[in-house]
Amino acid sequence: MKIRPAKHIYTRAGRFLFAAMLVLLPIATVLTDKISAFDYVRLPNRSLTIGDTTPAATTSYVFSWQYPTATTLGSIKLLLCTDPYVLDTCTLTSGDFSAATLTGQSGVTGFSILSQSAGEIILSRAPSGGSNIQSTYSFANIDNPGGLPDVFYVRIWTYPTADATGPPNEISSVATATTEVINITTIVPPILFFCTGLTVDNYCQNVVGNQIDYGDLSSTSTDFATSQFGVATNAVSGYVVTINGNTMTSGNKAITALNAPAAAAVGVGQFGLNLRANTAPPVGQDTTGAGTGVVDANYNNPDQYQFNDGDLVANAATGTLFNTFTSSYIVNVPPDQPAGVYSTTIVYICTASF
């Protein structure tokens, strides 16, 4: 009996499966060899701080990250892209690294710019051991992407070589964004607080009186009285205060004004004032308040009195908080002073220089 060899019978489905296996096996091999970003070590604690997030602004960039290991480090590549996918082709933004300067570094240091273009900076140093510490790299003169505010990314590679070639040590990316500016405007108006009275309080909240009555004058004693004025301003060049008016008169009769600083002298015709605390006679007080106003030199001597129409009596060189000034008036008359009702009107004028 002849035994026939068994026939190889393939169903149509079997042929299909076999063919499919022939096709799929090479594909499986390709997928197994594909490099993924997960195959690389990443840089932890990454950040990018931008000095000005306005679109197209020229500003500072400060990169910071921690090296995960102390492996040999020779170069760093920074790439300005529209997406963070470090192994994909980079689509450059309209930002510009080409004029950037390296202004500072800390942690793992010794880098300088090896090369740069609009979208790329390579930092280089002599390859040497690194350190797993937080490190910072600061740049100036980087142009943000222009146009509408948007998110953009900087991809980061570190290499053991000095020229950013060969397999990298770590790969990562950081995200940041340009933003709309917030414009805030306001107006600070010119401000002047100025008041006069027998007494004034802080910032002229309460002003009392405007009349001084000496009663009967005597040739054997000095009559005295006080009034006050207060000033504060935001004028950049400060202010001046002048005293304006005449000596005391009764018709065509007058009490002599002190045209230069002089002490009070009983029995001599005198009308004058100063802005100090005095002992002869005991009248007045020194300037008070937190401001920087000062008394003019001619009216700043205790027990010395003067009066001239238009004299400067106080000033401040710049804007100042509130000061209260006390004017101390004295009147003396000789025994032969003609009788009469003597009076005067004193006007203080404050001029602020805005």
Side-chain angles (χ1 to χ4, degrees):
M1 176 183 294
K2 291 184 178 180
I3 299 175
R4 296 181 179 180
K7 292 183 178 179
H8 297 286
I9 300 174
Y10 299 101
T11 65
R12 184 172 297 177
R15 288 196 298 272
F16 177 79
L17 288 172
F18 184 74
M21 289 177 65
L22 292 176
V23 172
L24 288 174
L25 284 174
I27 294 176
T29 301
V30 172
L31 290 175
T32 301
D33 293 339
K34 184 174 178 63
I35 297 174
S36 166
F38 292 102
D39 296 327
Y40 293 96
V41 178
R42 298 183 183 183
L43 296 165
N45 300 327
R46 303 182 303 278
S47 67
L48 169 56
T49 303
I50 298 179
D52 181 351
T53 59
T54 306
T58 300
T59 186
S60 61
Y61 280 36
V62 179
F63 296 89
S64 183
W65 59 73
Q66 182 180 352
Y67 290 98
T69 62
T71 187
T72 298
L73 180 62
S75 57
I76 302 167
K77 180 166 69 174
L78 305 173
L79 198 59
L80 190 59
C81 306
T82 59
D83 66 71
Y85 307 117
V86 289
L87 295 181
D88 290 356
T89 300
C90 174
T91 300
L92 297 177
T93 72
S94 59
D96 194 348
F97 281 164
S98 62
T101 57
L102 181 63
T103 59
Q105 50 190 301
S106 64
V108 178
T109 61
F111 290 95
S112 60
I113 295 178
L114 175 66
S115 64
Q116 62 195 119
S117 62
E120 181 183 87
I121 292 176
I122 294 179
L123 301 179
S124 176
R125 71 172 190 171
S128 59
S131 179
N132 59 334
I133 59 175
Q134 193 74 21
S135 298
T136 299
Y137 305 97
S138 302
F139 297 85
N141 299 322
I142 293 178
D143 292 342
N144 286 340
L148 295 175
D150 200 3
V151 177
F152 63 98
Y153 305 85
V154 178
R155 301 180 188 179
I156 307 167
W157 287 264
T158 68
Y159 294 87
T161 59
D163 58 356
T165 58
N169 292 336
E170 299 98 7
I171 61 173
S172 291
S173 60
V174 287
T176 189
T178 53
T179 58
E180 288 282 3
V181 298
I182 305 299
N183 294 311
I184 301 174
T185 59
T186 188
I187 295 174
V188 177
I191 297 172
L192 173 64
F193 291 91
F194 179 60
C195 52
T196 62
L198 297 187
T199 61
V200 302
D201 66 0
N202 204 31
Y203 287 93
C204 303
Q205 296 180 71
N206 191 28
V207 178
V208 178
N210 67 344
Q211 184 76 31
I212 296 173
D213 186 355
Y214 281 114
D216 293 340
L217 297 178
S218 170
S219 62
T220 61
S221 63
T222 299
D223 286 278
F224 53 87
T226 62
S227 71
Q228 293 183 325
F229 63 88
V231 194
T233 185
N234 65 352
V236 293
S237 297
Y239 66 82
V240 295
V241 177
T242 59
I243 187 169
N244 304 269
N246 298 301
T247 186
M248 300 185 74
T249 61
S250 177
N252 61 356
K253 302 180 289 288
I255 298 173
T256 303
L258 293 171
N259 300 129
V266 174
V268 178
Q270 292 180 318
F271 175 72
L273 68 142
N274 68 19
L275 277 69
R276 293 298 305 274
N278 303 282
T279 58
V283 61
Q285 65 179 10
D286 291 336
T287 305
T288 62
T292 58
V294 295
V295 178
D296 182 74
N298 286 329
Y299 292 85
N300 198 31
N301 301 307
D303 301 324
Q304 297 287 305
Y305 305 90
Q306 176 176 315
F307 176 77
N308 291 292
D309 179 30
D311 270 358
L312 175 70
V313 292
N315 70 90
T318 186
T320 175
L321 300 177
F322 196 82
N323 285 117
T324 299
F325 299 89
T326 299
S327 299
S328 301
Y329 308 91
I330 62 140
V331 181
N332 280 303
V333 292
D336 59 350
Q337 181 72 36
V341 177
Y342 289 80
S343 65
T344 187
T345 298
I346 301 297
V347 177
Y348 291 89
I349 298 175
C350 180
T351 304
S353 299
F354 294 96

